[in-house]
Amino acid sequence: MATTGSTESEERRRQLLASLEHENVIRLTEAAGTLGVSAMTIRRDLADLEAEGLLRRVRGGAISVIGPRPFEERRSVRSRAKELIADKALALVPRFGSIAFDASTTVGTMASRLGPRSGLIVSTNSYPTYASLKGTLGVNPILIGGETEESTDTFVGPLAVQAAQSLRYVRFFASASAVDATFGTTEVSLAEAQMKQAFARVSKEIVLCIDSSKLHQQATAASLELSKIAVLITELDPGDSQLDEFRDRVELR
């Protein structure tokens, strides 16, 4: 028979994982207050969950294990942060010309909130993003097809890379699995990293739209050098100390 202590521990860890699934991050002090236990108890819980491969501990809490996830599963994670980022990024979308959107749900949120334009071409390798743009007045969405990356619901591969590079873009709006001030952006999939590199090569400017839970992290595949990124948009105030390492490297919004 399970003891009361073990039952409470299991319930606590279930709630921690549920919070991580929704927010992508667990903050130690906040979790201790919400669950009514000490910070040391939460540290032990996080250590046990890390040992099971369910999260990765960082200073002040824990973050999700970075890995490929389908579009619909990613869409609900930190949705409020994505909305704030989208609202900032939309100010940089021109009325006409050509731009590119990557296959992230952060940029997908932008697509769903984009208003009428006057002959704007938008290329993307994400079908959900393409579908969001399809009915927008004055927007001509172009779906970059190729091989399907089933783990992320995107189009990738040599044909997709070639198609992505057949146009020239004023701006490329991208997110990333992680970004680090030294190593730039990284992705969970090499094929996805290659797609972003393809869009970036033919874009005048790169705008990185990424939520704060992905700052100071690294995934598997190298993607974009930080020196190539013109603007970094997060849900944070540009003066937030979490952005200090990026402050002299890119424009912050």
Side-chain angles (χ1 to χ4, degrees):
M1 178 181 293
T3 66
T4 301
S6 64
T7 301
E8 290 176 351
S9 175
E10 289 170 6
E11 175 59 20
R12 220 173 32 246
R13 293 172 191 178
R14 185 194 67 76
Q15 291 185 50
L16 287 169
L17 289 175
S19 175
L20 186 64
E21 176 70 19
H22 183 66
E23 293 294 330
N24 246 20
V25 63
I26 294 171
R27 295 178 177 84
L28 182 64
T29 304
E30 183 180 308
T34 299
L35 296 174
V37 295
S38 68
M40 183 59 70
T41 296
I42 296 297
R43 284 195 183 94
R44 286 196 295 267
D45 289 339
L46 296 181
D48 290 342
L49 292 169
E50 183 179 52
E52 295 178 42
L54 298 175
L55 51 74
R56 184 162 73 85
R57 286 185 295 166
V58 295
R59 184 176 180 179
I63 60 173
S64 298
V65 176
I66 299 174
R69 303 168 77 178
F71 189 94
E72 288 304 321
E73 188 177 318
R74 288 181 281 129
R75 189 199 294 271
S76 62
V77 176
R78 292 183 63 79
S79 57
R80 180 55 183 156
K82 290 172 182 175
E83 290 170 356
L84 292 171
I85 292 166
D87 287 344
K88 292 182 183 181
L90 285 171
L92 296 177
V93 176
R95 293 203 59 79
F96 55 88
S98 59
I99 61 174
F101 281 179
D102 77 354
S104 67
T105 54
T106 302
V107 175
T109 301
M110 276 183 67
S112 68
R113 299 162 83 91
L114 183 64
R117 289 299 188 268
S118 304
L120 179 66
I121 295 171
V122 185
S123 294
T124 181
N125 63 317
S126 163
Y127 182 80
T129 297
Y130 167 81
S132 290
L133 294 167
K134 189 65 178 170
T136 306
L137 183 65
V139 174
N140 178 21
I142 296 176
L143 180 61
I144 301 297
E147 303 167 29
T148 55
E149 174 71 88
E150 293 185 3
S151 62
T152 57
D153 290 339
T154 61
F155 291 105
V156 296
L159 291 177
V161 166
Q162 183 178 359
Q165 295 181 141
S166 64
L167 291 172
R168 298 295 180 266
Y169 309 106
V170 175
R171 290 193 178 97
F172 172 39
F173 293 86
S175 190
S177 296
V179 63
D180 177 87
T182 301
F183 297 102
T185 70
T186 46
E187 302 296 337
V188 297
S189 157
L190 178 59
E192 191 62 47
Q194 291 170 338
M195 279 302 305
K196 297 191 185 191
Q197 290 166 353
F199 279 124
R201 275 193 291 270
V202 290
S203 298
K204 289 184 178 179
E205 189 173 79
I206 301 169
V207 179
L208 183 64
C209 307
I210 193 165
D211 79 70
S212 60
S213 71
K214 299 176 180 180
L215 298 176
H216 317 296
Q217 310 298 332
Q218 293 180 50
T220 305
S223 185
L224 304 175
E225 296 177 18
L226 196 64
S227 62
K228 305 294 186 185
I229 295 167
V231 183
L232 171 61
I233 300 177
T234 73
E235 82 281 13
L236 303 173
D237 183 279
D240 194 291
S241 61
Q242 293 183 64
L243 297 169
D244 285 351
E245 289 187 32
F246 304 94
R247 195 167 307 285
D248 297 327
R249 313 281 296 279
V250 298
E251 179 185 341
L252 299 175
R253 294 206 178 192

